[in-house]
Amino acid sequence: MVRAAVLPAVGAPLEIAEIVLPEPGPGQVRVKLAAAGVCHSDLSLSDGTMRVPVPAVLGHEGAGTVLAVGEGVTHVAPGDGVVLNWAPSCGRCHHCGLGEVWLCANALTGVGAVHAHRTDGSELHPGLNVAAFAEETVVAAGCVLPAPAGIPLAEAALLGCAVLTGYGAVHHSARVRAGESVAVFGAGGVGLAALQAARIAGAGPIVAVDVSPAKEELARAAGATEFVLASETTAKEIRALTGGQGADVAVECVGRATTIRTAWESTRRGGRAVVVGIGGKDQQVTFHALEIFHFARTLTGCVYGNSDPARDLPVLAEHVRAGRLDLGSLVTDRIGLEGIPAAFEAMLAGEGGRSLVVFPA
């Protein structure tokens, strides 16, 4: 038995409980978690914005050490460090055939599986395939990637979602070029990663936008050259900071209609607005036909940073080893499983960067 954070029902409080994990079957891997990041997507699962079968063990951003492997698993072995990949691509569907592995039609088929059991025998599902809010987990072999050498496993957990998403939004989706101006909306874990990615790309100026003035120090440490406190005049302020034109690129990491609309309005004519944040169906964004024609801007969604984890993890690792990407600076709180509900509350209040659940060695 291992301890885990269980979502008993949509909208219900998380429960810290002992669960019974099976031994890994064919094509499966058992992992002892070193750390798991608390992502806004976990909050979206708990409140029903994103629907998955419940009860479930949440957590999808993690890293740890392989304890055992099932028949047929050859790319990792017991004792190996691994990063969890919550959206493994099947390699067979239409999108995988196009090379768009982040849109794989079968990436989340595992969420309906029985992952573990409560002590009373009732079934539990893996929230986003990997059930990382637990001391140990059993996952499909495609959900583990070898951890990059030279990076502590606790910090490597962040590579599994926040950094892949934020970096990918800048480099893969927006394709930011040196000298372009970038505005990042939301300075949480993903937003801070996007700011670092913009700095790595040679962007400038880099404008961070957040509702909390306390985020300014975090944002500037990540690479922001300017900080704007979110208000009704945000778009006007960003235009003033970018020569009156607007940003070349806006990256929205919040998922709210007003923020998406402001990100759009903050870009120049011909600019690019990338939406990373996951909003609910009630968040309706409207545009009129004339402005779409006149401004010639591009508005695009971005799933998992349009990343291929197998391809991108080594690239990110090299940035970390070279000192260009600082994983530790994304983390503002190191907590245990019991701290996850408070981390959810902090996200709702717009406080802090990434909370990291750190498990005993």
Side-chain angles (χ1 to χ4, degrees), residues 166-230:
Y167 180 91
V170 169
H171 285 266
H172 301 322
S173 185
R175 298 183 180 181
V176 173
R177 300 179 291 269
E180 288 192 310
S181 54
V182 175
V184 175
F185 289 74
V190 173
L192 292 172
L195 289 168
Q196 290 203 43
R199 175 175 45 76
I200 290 170
I206 303 172
V207 185
V209 182
D210 202 275
V211 295
S212 171
K215 294 286 189 73
E216 180 170 0
E217 184 177 351
L218 280 172
R220 289 189 181 276
T225 60
E226 311 290 343
F227 182 84
V228 171
L229 195 61

Side-chain angles (χ1 to χ4, degrees), residues 211-298:
V211 295
S212 171
K215 294 286 189 73
E216 180 170 0
E217 184 177 351
L218 280 172
R220 289 189 181 276
T225 60
E226 311 290 343
F227 182 84
V228 171
L229 195 61
S231 71
E232 294 182 354
T233 63
T234 294
K236 182 178 180 180
E237 292 178 63
I238 290 175
R239 285 195 294 273
L241 292 168
T242 53
Q245 298 299 314
D248 293 300
V249 171
V251 180
E252 199 274 356
C253 303
V254 181
R256 293 179 183 161
T258 54
T259 317
I260 294 169
R261 177 73 209 193
T262 303
W264 160 272
E265 293 174 353
S266 298
T267 59
R268 64 169 175 82
R269 289 188 75 185
R272 291 105 69 199
V274 176
V275 179
V276 178
I278 301 173
K281 294 180 180 179
D282 61 323
Q283 297 295 310
Q284 299 290 316
V285 188
T286 60
F287 306 92
H288 60 73
L290 182 58
E291 67 178 315
I292 292 174
F293 162 78
H294 173 75
F295 288 108
R297 295 163 175 150
T298 300

Side-chain angles (χ1 to χ4, degrees), residues 325-338:
L325 182 60
D326 183 0
L327 299 178
S329 67
L330 303 180
V331 180
T332 52
D333 295 282
R334 294 175 185 263
I335 61 176
L337 284 172
E338 293 82 0

Side-chain angles (χ1 to χ4, degrees), residues 39 67 82 87 109 113 115 153 157 168 248 263 278 289 301 349 358:
C39 179
L67 294 177
V82 293
T109 55
H115 169 71
L153 276 179
D248 293 300
I278 301 173
V358 180

